[in-house]
Amino acid sequence: MAELVFFSGTMDCGKSTLALQMDHNHAARGRTGIVFSRDDRAGVDRISSRLGLESAAREVGDDTDFWDEVAADRARGRAVDYLVCDEAQFYSPEQVEQLARLVDETGTDVFAFGITADFRTRLFPGAARLIELADRVEVLQVQSLCWCGARATHNARTVDGRMVVEGAQVVVGDTGAAGSAASVGYEVLCRRHHMRRMTEATARASTSDGAVLI
Ligand SMILES: Nc1ncnc2c1ncn2[C@@H]1O[C@H](COP(=O)(O)OP(=O)(O)O)[C@@H](O)[C@H]1O
Ligand SMILES: Cc1cn([C@H]2C[C@H](O)[C@@H](COP(=O)(O)O)O2)c(=O)[nH]c1=O
């Protein structure tokens, strides 16, 4: 039975790596799929993981209709057994509904990957619809960690090194530059430190010797 599965977690927990692995494993068994992504950090028509893997993907735009995409491939004689959908938080609720319809009416497996909540802890509309419609929501096993060592559950955005809680919902960016002056960065935090607006840099700055206080 085909399924719509939403693999979710914070930024930097291995979602794109798993997406590439899923595609590899299904393709290795002779199944044919399409890999989609939207606004990957590596650029248009790409899917990339911080482990160094990178591959071609079909870029999802506002006007992408997944039903039409799959129908067009099948009309050209190409089988479509599964879809891998990365950065699915950026898809619209209507696009998520198209994915569910593909599962139910054509038996296509859909493996979607994305973060659930934005830097304000609010659900992305696409992620919310996935949680509502998915057969299963799988939280990734690999835990990304807050600077304090606790499991990271939330995504923080920094602008010029300072954590912010206002701004556009979508700003493509990366973790690792959060304490630097690079204009927009991200850092994963546990809820306690997200609520306290305490990034690693803030915690260090609050002690005279630069040590971090939990
Ligand atoms: N140099 C490294 N060595 C081992 N693992 C790494 C390295 N760099 C990144 N990773 C792993 O890759 C994960 C991020 O993978 P990625 O697929 O880019 O995440 P996501 O798509 O969830 O943002 C990290 O949590 C870490 O486990
Ligand atoms: C929290 C948050 C993230 N984003 C962007 C930043 C990245 O480009 C992607 C997440 O990619 P990853 O592979 O999971 O690291 O989402 C955003 O636009 N808005 C946010 O609030």
Side-chain angles (χ1 to χ4, degrees):
M1 184 92 110
E3 279 190 312
L4 171 60
V5 189
F6 182 33
F7 295 91
S8 77
T10 59
M11 289 180 70
D12 199 23
C13 72
K15 301 179 301 298
S16 301
T17 307
L18 182 61
L20 287 157
Q21 288 176 310
M22 295 279 284
D23 179 49
H24 176 84
N25 289 356
H26 282 263
R29 290 296 180 206
R31 302 187 82 210
T32 314
I34 311 175
V35 179
F36 289 97
S37 191
R38 178 168 186 154
D39 291 337
D40 189 283
R41 285 179 302 277
V44 176
D45 290 331
R46 304 302 294 170
I47 174 171
S48 66
S49 115
R50 293 179 183 82
L51 267 176
L53 290 171
E54 189 176 322
S55 179
R58 272 191 218 178
E59 187 73 12
V60 176
D62 289 344
D63 54 358
T64 298
D65 184 315
F66 288 105
W67 185 268
D68 291 348
E69 289 277 335
V70 172
D73 272 46
R74 288 182 176 146
R76 286 195 292 268
R78 185 177 185 273
V80 181
D81 301 314
Y82 66 91
L83 304 183
V84 168
C85 296
D86 201 23
E87 305 291 355
Q89 72 276 1
F90 294 149
Y91 301 2
S92 69
E94 294 72 25
Q95 287 170 332
V96 172
E97 286 160 23
Q98 292 157 12
L99 295 174
R101 188 173 161 221
L102 279 165
V103 175
D104 294 341
E105 297 184 26
T106 72
T108 312
D109 279 312
V110 176
F111 309 117
F113 302 81
I115 54 177
T116 50
D118 67 14
F119 68 109
R120 302 162 307 172
T121 72
R122 304 293 178 193
L123 291 175
F124 284 91
R129 201 72 188 116
L130 275 162
I131 291 166
E132 289 161 353
L133 291 182
D135 293 289
R136 283 186 292 131
V137 177
E138 298 269 350
V139 178
L140 262 69
Q141 292 290 310
V142 179
Q143 300 188 355
S144 47
L145 302 179
C146 179
W147 56 264
C148 69
R151 179 182 183 139
T153 47
H154 292 76
N155 304 299
R157 178 185 290 167
T158 59
V159 176
D160 296 329
R162 299 193 66 83
M163 184 171 164
V164 295
V165 289
E166 283 178 19
Q169 186 174 50
V170 178
V171 178
V172 174
D174 205 351
T175 51
S180 76
S183 64
V184 172
Y186 289 94
E187 180 173 336
V188 293
L189 298 175
C190 65
R191 186 190 60 244
R192 187 157 62 126
H193 288 127
H194 198 286
M195 303 280 270
R196 291 179 185 172
R197 314 274 180 262
M198 199 179 271
T199 61
E200 182 173 5
T202 317
R204 280 190 195 286
S206 65
T207 59
S208 54
D209 60 358
V212 286
L213 285 181
I214 295 171

